[in-house]
Structure formats: C-alpha cells, structure tokens
Amino acid sequence: MGESRLTKDVKRLKQNLGELPEPVVDPALVVVCGLPGTGKSYFCRKLAERLPFVIIESDAFQRVLFPSPNYSRRESSYLFDACHLLIEKLLGKGIPVILDATNLQERNREHLYHIADIVGAKLIMVNVKAPAELVHQRLDGRRNSPEDKSDADWTVYQRMEPTVQRIGRNYFVLDTSRDITPVIEKIVRQVKRG
C-alpha cells in the first residue's frame, strides 16, 4: 500500500523548509494569530533571528501544495491538515516551530493546543495587531514586496475581520505599529525558561 497524498505532501513541505535547527529537549510552538497585513511574517522573522525556529508559513505552503490556489474552504482545510501534521512531526523530533498563519478561529487553534499537549511542547500564543489605517497602507503596498507571499488585500481583511474569535489560552499581544522588541524579549525569556 502506497503513501497517502497527505503524507507525500507533508514530506514535500518539509523539504521546502531547508536546514532545520538543532533539536532541543523542550521545543516551543509559537502560534501567531492575526488578520492579513498586521505584521505576522515580520514578527516571525524577527523572532527567528533571536532563537532557532523553523517557520511554517501558511501562505508559502499554500503555493507549494496549490500552485494556483483558489482559497476554497476545502483547499484551506487540506493545507492546515498538512501544516498541523508537519508541526506535530517536527515538535516530536524536538524542532522548535513558529506557525505564521491568520489562526483567527478557536476551533482551528484547538488543533494546535492539542498538538502541543500531545508532544509536550511549550505553547506560546501571539496575537498580532496593527491599526486599520496602517494595515490598509501595508496591504496596498504589498504587491511590490517580493518577501510577501500573501495574496490578501484590504477586501480580504474586511471579510475576515468579523470572523476573529478570542484566543482561549494565555497570549501575548503584539502591536506592530510600535516597537516589537519588548514583546520579543518576553517571548525569548519564556522559551528559554525551563
């Protein structure tokens, strides 16, 4: 019996990660939540400069699995099944992970809480925010940025905003219109705490 499509796709996604950080005894799972354009990917890059993490970026992985994404519910569900399975495998091997995705709904975050509980990972939730005017500017300028892998625009932001649900676990609030260093320092301390 051959491998399932999901198993093959998880292997493909893992190959796209490049070199992985060294395994640690108590790996952390940092789950980033926030609307498009709030600065999630920027924060993830800055945190990964401070500590060895692998970043699971849903927008980049969407393009790996679906070269011409249609952003349907089915496609999104499959993408996150693959991401969650990969996260579980990485954490199980001691690899610290940051999940860079909107993660707006509690039922989806519950899968991540469960994974952290199963593998005994340190769960760190981060709610990334920015004022709507700044987000609007960022999303308008996004098309010119090669770093940005998201197709979300202001219309997508407005459609998603009413779907945001409160995070059911303790979390850090990060406003990217301000200096993010103090929050990054707090997260670094929590990751390093035994």
Side-chain angles (χ1 to χ4, degrees):
M1 189 166 136
E3 288 180 306
S4 72
R5 176 183 168 205
L6 184 62
T7 305
K8 287 179 185 169
D9 282 341
V10 167
K11 284 182 179 175
R12 269 180 49 215
L13 295 178
K14 188 176 179 194
Q15 290 166 348
N16 272 273
L17 294 174
E19 193 173 333
L20 299 175
E22 289 294 314
V24 296
V25 175
D26 291 318
L29 170 59
V30 177
V31 177
V32 181
C33 309
L35 288 160
T38 52
K40 296 181 302 296
S41 297
Y42 173 75
F43 160 73
C44 292
R45 288 191 297 271
K46 290 297 178 190
L47 181 58
E49 287 173 9
R50 293 291 313 280
L51 292 170
F53 274 100
V54 65
I55 300 173
I56 305 290
E57 191 177 352
S58 66
D59 290 325
F61 279 7
Q62 182 121 25
R63 283 189 169 62
V64 172
L65 297 179
F66 307 100
S68 300
N70 63 23
Y71 303 102
S72 67
R73 187 169 295 207
R74 186 173 178 197
E75 189 178 278
S76 182
S77 177
Y78 184 83
L79 168 68
F80 283 100
D81 285 349
C83 287
H84 292 167
L85 185 55
L86 178 57
I87 289 167
E88 188 174 344
K89 287 177 179 297
L90 291 168
L91 290 170
K93 291 184 175 155
I95 307 294
V97 176
I98 300 172
L99 175 59
D100 177 4
T102 54
N103 292 309
L104 301 177
Q105 314 230 304
E106 189 63 10
R107 73 174 187 278
N108 298 330
R109 293 187 295 252
E110 285 170 355
H111 293 287
L112 298 161
Y113 305 157
H114 183 68
I115 290 168
D117 290 344
I118 286 174
V119 298
K122 248 180 245 179
L123 178 66
I124 299 171
M125 303 296 295
V126 183
N127 189 9
V128 180
K129 297 178 174 280
E133 317 79 62
L134 178 58
V135 170
H136 198 207
Q137 288 173 0
R138 287 177 181 169
L139 292 173
D140 280 351
R142 180 175 259 183
R143 282 160 274 190
N144 307 323
S145 173
E147 274 187 345
D148 206 319
K149 299 181 180 68
S150 174
D151 291 332
D153 58 14
W154 183 244
T155 308
V156 172
Y157 174 94
Q158 291 176 303
R159 192 175 67 239
M160 292 176 104
E161 190 178 28
T163 70
V164 175
Q165 294 177 346
R166 191 176 182 295
I167 299 170
R169 300 274 180 112
N170 290 336
Y171 60 93
F172 291 95
V173 176
L174 181 83
D175 182 341
T176 60
S177 68
R178 301 187 174 144
D179 181 10
I180 66 172
T181 309
V183 177
I184 287 182
E185 292 301 327
K186 287 178 188 172
I187 293 168
V188 167
R189 282 196 297 277
Q190 187 168 336
V191 169
K192 288 182 172 179
R193 199 175 298 139

